Amino acid sequence: MGLKTGHVDFDGKIDVSETIQSGFRVKGNSLTAKEILWAEIEMTGDIVVYGGIIGATIKTGGNIRAMYMRESNIETYGDVVIEKELIDSKIDTSGACIVKRGPVLSSTIAAKKGIHAIQIGSELSKPCNLTVGVDERIKNEINIIKEVILLKIEEHKELKTRLEEINDEPEKNEIQIAEMAQVQDRLMVKRRDIENQMKELAKAGNKARIADAEEELKEMDSEIKTAEEDLDKLFNKQDQLPEEISDIQKKITDSKAGVKKMKDKISEIAEWSNEERGIPEVRVNGVIFQDTAINGIYSSLILKQSEKNVLIKEQKIDGPDDMLEWKIKISQLK
């Protein structure tokens, strides 16, 4: 998928026999592809990639499967399953992150239902940062919606302020129209006086004074024209005020409805996320290297030494004074 096909937006299943090339956007229901290279993908369902995902930004409501993944940013409600290596990537998933055969290197992973891997980290790569049991995908989505709500509330305040201002404008406009009409009347009276003076000067044969009067008449006509234009603007504004008031009232109503819809969306996705408890564990069948950071729901840990064949899990333990507390514990896999 490239220059021949362009961007794709299709409400259905998309099958791509070749590579989705750099810079292209694909939006749809579900997707299968040979490879994804530096593209933007947005799906509501599952994504299956027979080769690798490199440099991609992916958002989906389903599961993601690929042979390998590098330098990618993933947000999904489903599981992320990688057959080989996962390198330099960021994953936020409401499901599990499973890397079956290769290493997980220099990556940040937040997986509500835990992380399973053969190897996490290496002696040369940057330490991985792992978060388990927490639905970072949902938290991020809720935070984005909250930011939009704050913008809508601010917009609502501005609209209400404008409505209060505009409600006083018809009366102010009428006063301005009356004042402008008086100015126009005075200018017309002055113009007639000049015309009468010119008639008298013509009878007297005073050509020099007639020239001055003609110049004064031109200036007067310019002032009258400006006054007429200003008066027309005031009348137009007066005519447009009811439409503007109606438009603002509609925007206020729409804004309220939009905020309610977004609050309902927050409740809906939070309720969905809370239906299943998180699984705060990292299961490693090979080596997890020193300095890997592991964050649970209530506690965190940075490995002081590399561990092999371990289950790293957040658990309740007995604390001081018979108080229960949460701690990330490391135990050997059986």
Side-chain angles (χ1 to χ4, degrees), residues 36 49 108 129 134 142 183 203 248 254 327:
I36 301 175
V49 181
T108 298
N129 190 307
V134 179
I142 288 175
V183 169
K203 289 178 183 179
I248 291 172
D254 291 346
K327 188 174 182 180

Side-chain angles (χ1 to χ4, degrees), residues 193-237:
D193 289 343
I194 295 171
E195 286 179 333
N196 291 331
Q197 288 175 19
M198 288 176 67
K199 289 177 183 178
E200 294 299 323
L201 290 169
K203 289 178 183 179
N206 192 338
K207 293 182 179 180
R209 286 288 295 120
I210 289 173
D212 291 340
E214 286 176 345
E215 190 62 33
E216 190 176 353
L217 192 63
K218 285 181 182 179
E219 292 177 3
M220 188 59 56
D221 285 341
S222 178
E223 289 184 39
I224 290 170
K225 184 180 179 182
T226 300
E228 287 175 349
E229 290 172 352
D230 290 343
L231 194 58
D232 285 341
K233 288 178 184 178
L234 287 170
F235 278 123
N236 289 335
K237 185 178 179 182

Side-chain angles (χ1 to χ4, degrees), residues 133-180:
V134 179
D135 204 333
E136 289 292 326
R137 169 77 173 93
I138 292 296
K139 282 173 63 178
N140 293 339
E141 188 165 343
I142 288 175
N143 287 337
I144 289 170
I145 295 173
K146 284 181 176 179
E147 288 175 7
V148 176
I149 287 175
L150 289 175
L151 291 174
K152 285 286 184 185
I153 290 172
E154 191 61 35
E155 178 187 273
H156 180 80
K157 289 178 182 178
E158 291 174 0
L159 288 168
K160 284 190 71 176
T161 300
R162 175 58 185 151
L163 189 60
E164 290 169 2
E165 292 172 353
I166 206 172
N167 283 332
D168 296 331
E169 284 191 15
E171 184 178 347
K172 292 178 181 177
N173 216 42
E174 286 175 4
I175 293 171
Q176 287 181 304
I177 288 171
E179 291 174 348
M180 186 58 66

Side-chain angles (χ1 to χ4, degrees), residues 26-53:
V26 182
K27 186 175 181 181
N29 186 343
S30 62
L31 171 69
T32 59
K34 179 181 177 182
E35 287 181 310
I36 301 175
L37 304 180
W38 304 96
E40 293 182 23
I41 311 295
E42 186 175 346
M43 295 287 147
T44 56
D46 293 344
I47 296 172
V48 177
V49 181
Y50 300 111
I53 299 173

Side-chain angles (χ1 to χ4, degrees), residues 244-302:
E244 187 177 353
I245 289 171
S246 175
D247 183 55
I248 291 172
Q249 288 172 335
K250 183 180 184 303
K251 285 179 178 177
I252 288 173
T253 300
D254 291 346
S255 178
K256 286 181 179 178
V259 168
K260 183 181 183 304
K261 187 175 180 180
M262 285 185 281
K263 286 182 177 179
D264 290 344
K265 179 67 174 177
I266 287 175
S267 298
E268 178 187 328
I269 60 178
E271 184 178 346
W272 176 84
S273 179
N274 292 333
E275 284 178 358
E276 292 187 76
R277 290 180 60 84
I279 302 174
E281 68 176 36
V282 178
R283 188 180 294 267
V284 185
N285 293 98
V287 179
I288 180 168
F289 280 77
Q290 178 182 341
D291 295 327
T292 302
I294 299 137
N295 307 289
I297 303 170
Y298 307 106
S299 57
S300 60
L301 171 71
I302 296 177

